[in-house]
Amino acid sequence: MLDWLTENKIPVGATAREVFDWLQTNGGWFFDGLEGAMRALIDAILWVLQSPHPLIVIAAFTALTWAIQRRWQPCLLVAVGLLFIVNQGYWRATTESLTLVLSACVVCMGVGVPIGIAAAHRPRLYAALRPVLDLMQTLPTFVYLIPAIVFFGIGMVPGLIATVIFVLPAPIRLTHLGVSSTPQPLLEAARAFGATNRQTLWKVELPWAFPQIMTGLNQTIMLSLSMVVIAALVGASGLGVPVVRALNSVNTALGFEAGFVIVVVAIVLDRMLRAEGRK
């Protein structure tokens, strides 16, 4: 019985290869256009972060933190953290990693929030999406690199695509949770006052779901940052490059230095967007 099972293997891998071959042959126009759009987004964010003097960028991040948090403690932490990165000589690599993170945020929130809203209003749609989202979150992240290399080559774009596939379920799930948990009395009151479906969405559901949506943004940033090292394996620039180099050369000092800078970036971004600081 066991021999029969192994001899009659379900062609999962062969089917996946055929699908990728077909997409590569017939969908070249789509992937070329997608690559161009992603590259333009990456170049724009990279230009914003790298063209000004580092101190100007640090001041802008500190001001943004004050606008969000309205407290001096997170602002001080952000400024000190970014100055520490400059001191360690990782500013350029950090801006490249931030470019990957911010690009992933733009794509994931731009796609995930509307899908989450639609899924909250259509339970059947969410029931169909749930196994797909489970697969996207549980599939080993290294597997995403294979089709990314096949369709987009090497560089920042395949790193961004792999990051988006891994991160996208977070904003979808959290947006769905926030919108679907809107209390029925609020919805009934809005309808009683004659609100349309669009008005109910913008004036009731989205304000109620805003904390969950911001949590989705925070999770998107943290998960994207966790992909920095993995994206370096497909040629993406940033803080993952020295980590991979340290791993290949068993360089403890370089690995700890780059890894600690990644931790500092994560702390800075988390403190900037931490929800309890908002008024």
Side-chain angles (χ1 to χ4, degrees):
M1 181 63 179
L2 186 60
D3 293 339
W4 181 86
L5 284 175
T6 55
E7 290 173 359
N8 294 273
K9 180 180 178 180
I10 299 175
V12 176
T15 303
R17 183 179 64 249
E18 292 176 0
V19 170
F20 288 139
D21 290 343
W22 185 88
L23 289 174
Q24 191 175 15
T25 302
N26 298 279
W29 58 274
F30 171 77
F31 295 112
D32 290 342
L34 181 60
E35 180 180 8
M38 295 296 101
R39 192 174 299 280
L41 176 63
I42 290 170
D43 290 342
I45 296 177
L46 201 59
W47 182 84
V48 170
L49 293 177
Q50 289 188 344
S51 294
H53 192 275
L55 294 180
I56 296 177
V57 179
I58 293 173
F61 271 94
T62 306
L64 179 61
T65 304
W66 173 258
I68 295 173
Q69 300 289 345
R70 296 295 178 178
R71 293 185 299 127
W72 65 268
Q73 295 93 336
C75 298
L76 178 62
L77 179 62
V78 168
V80 171
L82 295 178
L83 288 172
F84 171 78
I85 292 172
V86 174
N87 171 262
Q88 294 297 300
Y90 283 90
W91 179 252
R92 184 175 183 83
T94 298
T95 57
E96 291 168 344
S97 292
L98 283 175
T99 297
L100 183 64
V101 171
L102 294 176
S103 300
C105 286
V106 171
V107 176
C108 289
M109 298 304 290
V111 174
V113 171
I115 292 178
I117 294 172
H121 291 143
R122 298 169 179 82
R124 291 185 178 179
L125 174 61
Y126 187 67
L129 283 175
R130 188 183 296 117
V132 178
L133 298 178
D134 291 340
L135 178 66
M136 293 169 67
Q137 287 187 306
T138 56
L139 199 66
T141 52
F142 287 96
V143 177
Y144 298 139
L145 302 181
I146 301 172
I149 294 174
V150 170
F151 296 135
F152 303 103
I154 60 174
M156 291 287 282
V157 173
L160 173 59
I161 297 298
T163 301
V164 168
I165 295 173
F166 174 67
V167 175
L168 188 58
I172 293 177
R173 289 185 187 276
L174 287 165
T175 302
H176 169 268
L177 175 64
V179 174
S180 62
S181 64
T182 306
Q184 281 299 320
L186 287 179
L187 298 175
E188 293 171 359
R191 296 190 185 100
F193 281 98
T196 63
N197 291 336
R198 177 173 296 182
Q199 289 173 331
T200 301
L201 173 65
W202 285 100
K203 295 183 180 296
V204 179
E205 293 178 327
L206 287 182
W208 179 268
F210 183 75
Q212 285 80 14
I213 293 174
M214 291 306 298
T215 300
L217 175 61
N218 187 282
Q219 288 297 303
T220 297
I221 292 175
M222 294 299 109
L223 291 172
S224 300
L225 197 57
S226 71
M227 288 287 290
V228 164
V229 177
I230 297 175
L233 298 177
V234 293
S237 305
L239 294 170
V241 175
V243 174
V244 174
R245 189 182 303 124
L247 180 63
N248 292 333
S249 60
V250 198
N251 189 330
T252 306
L254 178 62
F256 184 83
E257 191 176 74
F260 191 74
V261 170
I262 294 175
V263 172
V264 171
V265 173
I267 293 174
V268 165
L269 295 176
D270 179 70
R271 294 304 184 272
M272 285 182 63
L273 297 171
R274 180 164 286 191
E276 60 262 28
R278 300 187 185 87
K279 301 293 184 184

